[in-house]
DNA sequence: CAAAATCTACCAACCGTTTGGTAAAATTGA
DNA sequence: TCAATTTTACCAAACGGTTGGTAGATTTTG
């Protein structure tokens, strides 16, 4: 049996990088094949369609985030603040170097009307992110406020990344994550003083 | 038989509505022509190219915002807080009904790598928005803080709109604008107390 | 060898754009 | 005023090129 020269993980990584820079409609199957050193016809040995490839990329990326990033929110070896700090550091790396964090937003906005098949994975990504964050905020807020706060933080971070990309100013995200961390410390203080006073 | 003439404003409005729901790469010249009751070839009587049409749409939209929305920030008949309130109301209408506010973000993200010719108008839109807002915040903050605050508010609103669109939750924006308004009131209070105390 | 992987060649459909042509409307000139 | 002329608005068809996708021959590999 001939062993596959191109393993799935590499194929997905290469495809992600093309989709990232050209969007969904903007990338051709030819581009995707070339990114993995293949001619157009050959890539159909690995994939069923352009659409199914994108779906697989989105799923793999979401799984990666859930397992490697969002899971930090439940790391019992760290204090809640340290967990948020870890998340911030990872987020900053992801958005500025990997440029992968806004991928879900990009593809989401581009395909929400034309390709509803992508919607579920994209929504799941954000629901997981918000869910993990709100578990963290549960340490300093009641359930409803924790959810609202998590939604707000995700919206602010995403907004910052987008403004960063469009205006080319790298300080947006940095300031946002500093703000989020300080806010959390403030919330912790308020909670302690409440415990002492009430 | 009098021929109904297609005026430029209608053409731009029709085109905007197509670009809005299908993106730039996702809409064909056929779509654009059909939206104005023309066949594909006929639209070239009005436009030079698909790209130039999009550019005109973007320019018209930016001009509209500058003249009708952002200008509220300098309305001397209103208090600073009332101006922000006006802006919030308009923003809410724009984002939820006209669905036009995230257009600049959508097209910006979709074309930033492939169509640099759109970048300038899109950036100008956000620079104008941030500029007008920071003039407002100048009433309660020093210059540098006013700019940072304006950038933050725009990022948060944009982030909210995007999450709203992707997750289908209409409460995001409402909560964001309430937060922005309350924050402004808080800043006004702090400024007054500073004046009294120092 | 046979299976797996890749290439070449080729679809039909669509892309943005151009063309040749045609009526109707507006303008002109007497 | 009214016919001649020009301009406008539009269409059907076609352009060269690209799209996502397929079929079959060819190469690589265990």
């Amino acid at each position: 049996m001939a062993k596959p020269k191109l393993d799935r993980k590499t194929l997905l990584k290469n495809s992600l990088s093309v989709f990232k820079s050209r969007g969904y409609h903007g990338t051709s199957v030819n581009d995707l094949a070339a990114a993995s050193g293949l001619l157009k016809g050959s890539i159909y040995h690995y994939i069923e369609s352009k659409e199914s490839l994108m779906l697989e990329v989105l799923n793999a990326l979401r799984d990666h985030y859930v397992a490697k990033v969002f899971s930090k929110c439940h790391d019992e070896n760290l204090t809640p603040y340290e967990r948020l700090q870890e998340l911030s550091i990872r987020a900053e790396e992801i958005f500025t170097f990997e440029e992968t964090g806004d991928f879900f937003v990009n593809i989401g906005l581009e395909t929400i009307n034309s390709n509803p098949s992508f919607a579920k994975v994209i929504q799941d990504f954000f629901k997981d992110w918000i869910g993990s964050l709100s578990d963290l905020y549960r340490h300093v807020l009641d359930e409803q406020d924790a959810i609202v706060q998590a939604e707000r933080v995700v919206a602010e971070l995403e907004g910052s990344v987008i403004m960063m990309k469009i205006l080319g100013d790298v300080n947006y995200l940095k300031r946002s994550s500093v703000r989020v961390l300080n806010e959390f410390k403030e919330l912790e203080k308020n909670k302690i003083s409440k415990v002492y006073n009430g």
Side-chain angles (χ1 to χ4, degrees), chain A residues 57-77:
Chain A
V57 167
L58 287 170
N59 271 304
L61 205 56
R62 189 219 32 203
D63 291 346
H64 172 265
Y65 274 90
V66 171
K68 298 284 164 59
V69 184
F70 301 159
S71 61
K72 289 276 174 198
C73 288
H74 305 105
D75 187 337
E76 304 262 328
N77 298 323

Side-chain angles (χ1 to χ4, degrees), chain A residues 59 65 88 92 100 102-103 125 153 164 166 183:
Chain A
N59 271 304
Y65 274 90
S88 283
E92 215 166 313
T100 233
D102 44 351
F103 185 65
F125 170 82
V153 166
M164 198 170 90
I166 287 179
E183 231 170 40

Side-chain angles (χ1 to χ4, degrees), chain A residues 12 71 139 180:
Chain A
L12 294 182
S71 61
H139 289 95
V180 166

Side-chain angles (χ1 to χ4, degrees), chain A residues 7-178:
Chain A
D7 67 299
R8 198 119 204 107
K9 215 170 145 186
T10 309
L11 170 72
L12 294 182
K13 218 180 91 183
N14 295 340
S15 304
L16 169 62
S17 124
V18 182
F19 278 135
K20 240 174 4 186
S21 69
R22 306 173 90 95
Y24 181 69
H25 294 295
T27 89
S28 67
V29 177
N30 208 4
D31 296 332
L32 293 164
S36 288
L38 298 172
L39 290 186
K40 189 168 61 160
S42 311
I43 203 176
Y44 282 93
H45 194 262
Y46 295 90
I47 67 168
E48 202 196 72
S49 67
K50 179 187 172 186
E51 190 176 357
S52 73
L53 174 57
M54 173 58 104
L55 243 155
E56 205 178 332
V57 167
L58 287 170
N59 271 304
L61 205 56
R62 189 219 32 203
D63 291 346
H64 172 265
Y65 274 90
V66 171
K68 298 284 164 59
V69 184
F70 301 159
S71 61
K72 289 276 174 198
C73 288
H74 305 105
D75 187 337
E76 304 262 328
N77 298 323
L78 304 171
T79 67
Y81 181 80
E82 284 169 342
R83 295 179 212 174
L84 193 64
Q85 225 168 2
E86 277 289 317
L87 216 69
S88 283
I89 292 165
R90 281 294 297 138
E92 215 166 313
E93 286 170 7
I94 287 163
F95 285 124
T96 51
F97 299 118
E98 300 175 28
E99 285 183 28
T100 233
D102 44 351
F103 185 65
F104 285 96
V105 165
N106 284 227
I107 302 302
L109 292 177
E110 189 192 338
T111 64
I112 199 158
N113 292 313
S114 60
N115 261 86
S117 60
F118 301 152
K120 198 195 169 302
V121 209
I122 295 171
Q123 288 173 352
D124 280 351
F125 170 82
F126 287 107
K127 283 180 188 167
D128 276 330
W129 189 3
I130 290 169
S132 299
L133 258 186
S134 68
D135 287 346
L136 241 182
Y137 278 106
R138 212 41 206 90
H139 289 95
V140 289
L141 290 170
D142 67 62
E143 197 176 340
Q144 195 49 48
D145 287 349
I147 294 170
V148 171
Q149 174 70 7
E151 288 177 342
R152 186 178 85 95
V153 166
V154 169
E156 185 178 337
L157 287 176
E158 279 301 338
S160 295
V161 172
I162 286 158
M163 297 306 289
M164 198 170 90
K165 198 162 179 181
I166 287 179
L167 291 180
D169 182 340
V170 290
N171 292 318
Y172 271 89
L173 184 60
K174 184 78 204 161
R175 279 199 297 252
S176 283
S177 48
V178 167

